DNA sequence: GCCGTTTTCGGCCCGACTGTTTTCAGTCG
């Protein structure tokens, strides 16, 4: 079984943690962390690159040494250096570093002085009062570690973006009502519209920062205040989120917004540019010597660095800085570009509303077209339609279309792709449809080659138009099934098939990296909500977020086209 | 360990908060 990029990255993170505990050169430690980040956000699998004999040292942050280590790890499943380190330092210690308040230095002291290896040892030591006897450890530190242990699982999981949205809304409403707040917004991965967010970074501009901090900690959603200073504070909310608030003056607001929006990698990269230009960039502004030459807005900061403005969704250090310098940034798609939805369900299968209700809701959104895509018979849990039921629905749609003024309802179906790659509905009836949306709902654990070929064979059927939720993953719930995405994308392009970006907040499938890959290969995308009720049409914005993170422009997405053009794209015969 | 429009050696982003200190180390983002 070839190693996943995630597993390679985890190995390097573990190595970095253990080396840090041993007190290794911090820049060497950073190099391993960087490598882990590069590998985990890489679209192709590193094991495939190795199999193809590609030069890994061309990857940013990977030199000859790391390239060699990666090859060894993939070929043997082991890393000799990690083995050596583990012989000196118990590997379990790297688990202790996950506790809030514990870093490499303290973990090392706990291990050397008290022999602590596990969370349990730590709890016992605290109970016996052995911890606060150590030099450098006191009452407060002990309490912080105890609460860190309690929160170990509670606050470590990243939350879905859609779950954060209402929390952020109420937080921002509260902040805007505080007297003296001039500007406020949520920065961090929330502003970058990442599919999941860790904590919420709130940034405010005000003259008297302390007054704002004091008002903030009275917010009634706050469960516990973690830290409180004169310009920043952080707290746990009852909803499970951690909030970090930072208050700056207006002349620093843009610089602080840039800094707190991140990503960390993007920040490091642009600060390097500042250094090259003999400037200093921090969260207060950009400086030539002692003199501040910008910082009020993000736009002026990018300009000072010789860069075009970079949208938050692109700030991941995945090529946006070079594109910005060359004025080749994409003109990202936006919600208003969307003309229709090509995936939704009615109560004929597992939806909760009628055909008419769904059509009416789509019409109210100003859509030109809506495809009704109820499930096929193989998906019995959703009461999939058989041939007879589909014919009845087709007739019903014809009657409805005769009455509709501004919307065209397209006849379609979400057809199961069976294990052998055939479609769960005979050709003669599929020919009656305007389009088909095809998807996998069974046999998730086939080996990668088989799963890939299953999909490619299904695409050989000229009735196949759209591959829905291409990897089947459910965020925080189910891993994607194993497919060769590059092969699928090339296969789709060659055959005139389209890949869906499913906008359900727990799917967002394709992910951002795959969207960019599709764009680079030239495979078309459709953004669909898979709505099971009229209100779920509003999920389109989450699909748009993901598309923007994947560098997609209006031209890359087929449901930005007028119906006439769309129909041409859907006709493979 | 990586990297180069000053450099193949000598740098590597930068600052706030906390606790336990007598001036700063550790942690975090």
């Amino acid at each position: 079984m070839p190693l996943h990029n995630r597993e390679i990255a985890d190995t390097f993170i573990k190595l970095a943690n253990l080396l840090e505990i041993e007190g290794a050169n911090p820049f060497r430690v950073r190099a391993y962390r960087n490598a882990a980040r590069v590998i985990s956000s890489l679209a192709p699998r590193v094991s495939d690159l190795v199999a193809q004999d590609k030069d890994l040292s061309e990857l940013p942050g990977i030199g000859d040494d790391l390239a060699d280590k990666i090859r060894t790890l993939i070929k043997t499943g082991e890393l000799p250096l990690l083995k050596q380190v583990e012989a000196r330092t118990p590997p379990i210690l790297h688990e202790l570093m996950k506790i809030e308040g514990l870093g490499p230095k303290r973990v090392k002291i706990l291990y050397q002085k008290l022999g602590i290896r596990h969370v349990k040892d730590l709890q016992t030591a605290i109970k016996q009062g052995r911890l606060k006897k150590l030099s450098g450890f006191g009452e407060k530190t002990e309490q912080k570690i105890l609460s860190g242990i309690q929160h170990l699982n509670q606050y470590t999981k990243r939350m879905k973006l859609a779950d954060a949205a209402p929390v952020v809304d109420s937080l921002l409403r509260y902040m805007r009502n505080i007297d003296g707040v001039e500007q406020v917004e949520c920065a961090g991965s929330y502003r970058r519209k990442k599919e999941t967010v860790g904590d919420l970074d709130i940034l405010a501009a005000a003259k008297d920062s302390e007054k704002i901090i004091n008002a903030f900690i009275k917010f009634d959603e706050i469960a516990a205040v973690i830290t409180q200073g004169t310009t920043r504070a952080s707290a746990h909310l009852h909803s499970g989120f951690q909030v970090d608030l930072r208050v700056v003056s207006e002349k620093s607001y843009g610089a602080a917004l840039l800094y707190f929006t991140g990503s960390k990698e993007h920040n490091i990269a642009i600060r390097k540019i500042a250094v090259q230009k003999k400037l200093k960039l921090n969260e207060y502004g950009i400086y030539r010597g002692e003199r501040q030459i910008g910082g009020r807005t993000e736009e002026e900061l990018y300009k000072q660095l010789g860069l075009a403005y970079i949208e938050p969704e692109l700030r991941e250090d995945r090529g946006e800085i070079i594109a910005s310098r060359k004025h080749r940034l994409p003109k990202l798609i936006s919600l208003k570009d969307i003309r229709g939805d090509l995936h939704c369900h009615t109560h004929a299968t597992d939806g909760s509303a009628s055909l008419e209700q769904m059509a009416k809701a789509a019409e109210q959104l100003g859509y030109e077209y809506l495809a009704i895509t109820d499930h096929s018979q193989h998906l019995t849990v959703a009461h999939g339609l058989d041939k007879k039921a589909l014919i009845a629905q087709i007739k019903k749609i014809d009657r409805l279309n005769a009455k509709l003024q501004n919307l065209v309802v397209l006849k379609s179906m979400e057809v199961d792709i069976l294990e052998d790659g055939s479609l769960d509905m005979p050709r003669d009836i599929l020919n009656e449809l305007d389009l088909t949306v095809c998807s996998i709902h069974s046999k998730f654990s086939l080996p990668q080659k088989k799963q890939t070929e299953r999909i490619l064979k299904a695409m050989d059927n000229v009735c196949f138009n759209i591959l829905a939720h291409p990897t089947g993953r459910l965020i925080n719930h189910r891993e994607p099934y194993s497919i060769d995405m590059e092969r699928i994308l090339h296969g789709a392009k060659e055959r005139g098939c389209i890949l869906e970006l499913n906008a359900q907040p727990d799917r967002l499938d394709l992910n951002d990296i795959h969207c960019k890959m599709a764009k680079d290969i030239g495979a078309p995308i459709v953004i669909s909500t898979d709505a099971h009720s009229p209100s779920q049409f509003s999920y389109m914005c989450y699909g748009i977020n993901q598309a923007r993170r994947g560098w997609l422009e209006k031209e890359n997405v087929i449901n930005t086209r007028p119906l006439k053009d769309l129909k041409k794209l859907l006709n493979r015969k």
Side-chain angles (χ1 to χ4, degrees), chain A residues 5 12 20 33 169 190-191 218 262 288 360 387 429 491:
Chain A
N5 289 359
F12 283 128
E20 201 171 25
R33 293 231 165 87
D169 285 347
Y190 184 84
R191 184 162 178 250
K218 295 196 181 79
R288 178 172 285 127
K360 195 177 159 200
K387 184 174 170 180
I429 180 75

Side-chain angles (χ1 to χ4, degrees), chain A residues 521-553:
Chain A
I521 287 173
I525 299 286
V526 59
I527 308 175
S528 305
T529 63
D530 196 356
H532 284 65
S533 68
S535 67
Q536 288 189 0
F537 283 134
S538 67
Y539 288 163
M540 187 61 79
C541 65
Y542 296 107
I544 294 288
N545 288 339
Q546 189 81 311
R548 290 169 64 88
R549 288 183 54 80
W551 293 53
L552 296 187
E553 304 179 76

Side-chain angles (χ1 to χ4, degrees), chain A residues 304-363:
Chain A
Q304 292 281 6
L305 296 172
L307 300 173
Y309 177 77
I310 300 172
E311 298 283 356
E313 294 92 328
L314 297 180
R315 300 181 195 171
E316 298 290 343
D317 195 19
R318 290 184 191 149
E320 75 278 9
I321 292 169
I322 292 169
S324 162
R325 189 180 276 152
K326 293 182 179 164
H327 295 279
R328 284 196 193 143
L329 283 167
K331 188 175 182 302
L332 298 179
I333 187 170
S334 71
L335 191 57
K336 64 176 184 351
D337 295 325
I338 297 295
R339 290 173 185 252
D341 204 324
L342 296 184
H343 188 166
C344 78
H345 298 270
T346 72
H347 61 197
T349 57
D350 59 351
S352 62
S354 68
L355 171 62
E356 292 78 9
Q357 286 168 325
M358 295 301 278
K360 195 177 159 200
E363 200 172 24

Side-chain angles (χ1 to χ4, degrees), chain A residues 484-499:
Chain A
D484 182 338
M485 186 57 79
E486 219 173 325
R487 256 184 94 192
I488 299 276
L489 289 169
H490 281 293
K493 186 191 175 188
E494 286 158 14
R495 294 167 176 79
C497 298
I498 295 130
L499 270 85

Side-chain angles (χ1 to χ4, degrees), chain A residues 396-414:
Chain A
K396 215 172 153 189
I397 292 174
D398 282 335
R399 288 196 295 276
L400 178 61
N401 272 332
K403 285 190 274 181
L404 289 170
Q405 301 278 321
N406 304 313
L407 179 86
V408 174
V409 177
L410 298 173
K411 291 164 271 188
S412 183
M413 175 170 248
E414 181 176 4

